[in-house]
Amino acid sequence: MAEEKEKLEEKKGGRKILFLIPILLLVLAVAGGGVYFFLLNKPKKEGEEKISPSHVGVMVDLGVFTVNLADKGTDAYARVAITLELSNEKVKQEVDKRMPIIKDAIIDVISSKTSDFVRTPEGREALRLELIRRLNIILVEGGVRNIYFTEFVVQTS
């Protein structure tokens, strides 16, 4: 009789495990979905947009600028190649008309910075934003979406 009770208890234990496996899988699936939703699927910040290849604006290469930097007591210069991303062709025509004014503004802004400032990622990002603001003031149509530094070298002596 004792042996029969043990076999019955073993069968019940086996059934409990078979019942717990699907529940455990369900819990893991829900947890995985929660991790994806809360950690990996980050919402866009205000003003941030994903750029797909079909939404890339009109590109204008401005060339390379070699500019003295505002370091005190030492000679420092930056060599920066810049490409503008514009919103449309109409803005490109305006950029072509105002090219000397745009290049002068870029030289003015970059030469006002120190080498320590432009060497940091934060400094380059601040420089990028300042240039975008400055160029959008110059252009009647506005429309400078972004500025890309395709070369950025700083040298001090």
Side-chain angles (χ1 to χ4, degrees), residues 14-75:
R15 286 184 188 158
K16 286 181 185 178
I17 290 176
L18 288 177
F19 179 71
L20 290 176
I21 288 175
I23 292 175
L24 182 62
L25 289 174
L26 180 65
V27 168
L28 287 174
V30 169
V35 167
Y36 173 78
F37 182 75
F38 289 110
L39 298 178
L40 301 177
N41 188 19
K42 295 182 181 177
K44 287 191 245 180
K45 295 178 183 172
E46 188 176 321
E48 180 181 307
E49 62 182 55
K50 288 187 177 183
I51 298 176
S52 68
S54 63
H55 291 99
V56 174
V58 177
M59 297 291 187
V60 176
D61 183 15
L62 297 182
V64 178
F65 295 83
T66 304
V67 179
N68 291 321
L69 296 173
D71 289 31
K72 301 283 187 214
T74 184
D75 292 329

Side-chain angles (χ1 to χ4, degrees), residues 17 25 30-31 34 36-37 71 74 79 98 107 109 112 114 122 127 129 132 135 140 154:
I17 290 176
L25 289 174
V30 169
Y36 173 78
F37 182 75
D71 289 31
T74 184
R79 179 180 166 89
R98 299 177 188 266
I107 291 169
V109 170
S112 71
T114 64
E122 296 84 13
L127 177 63
L129 295 174
I132 290 170
L135 296 183
V140 176
V154 176

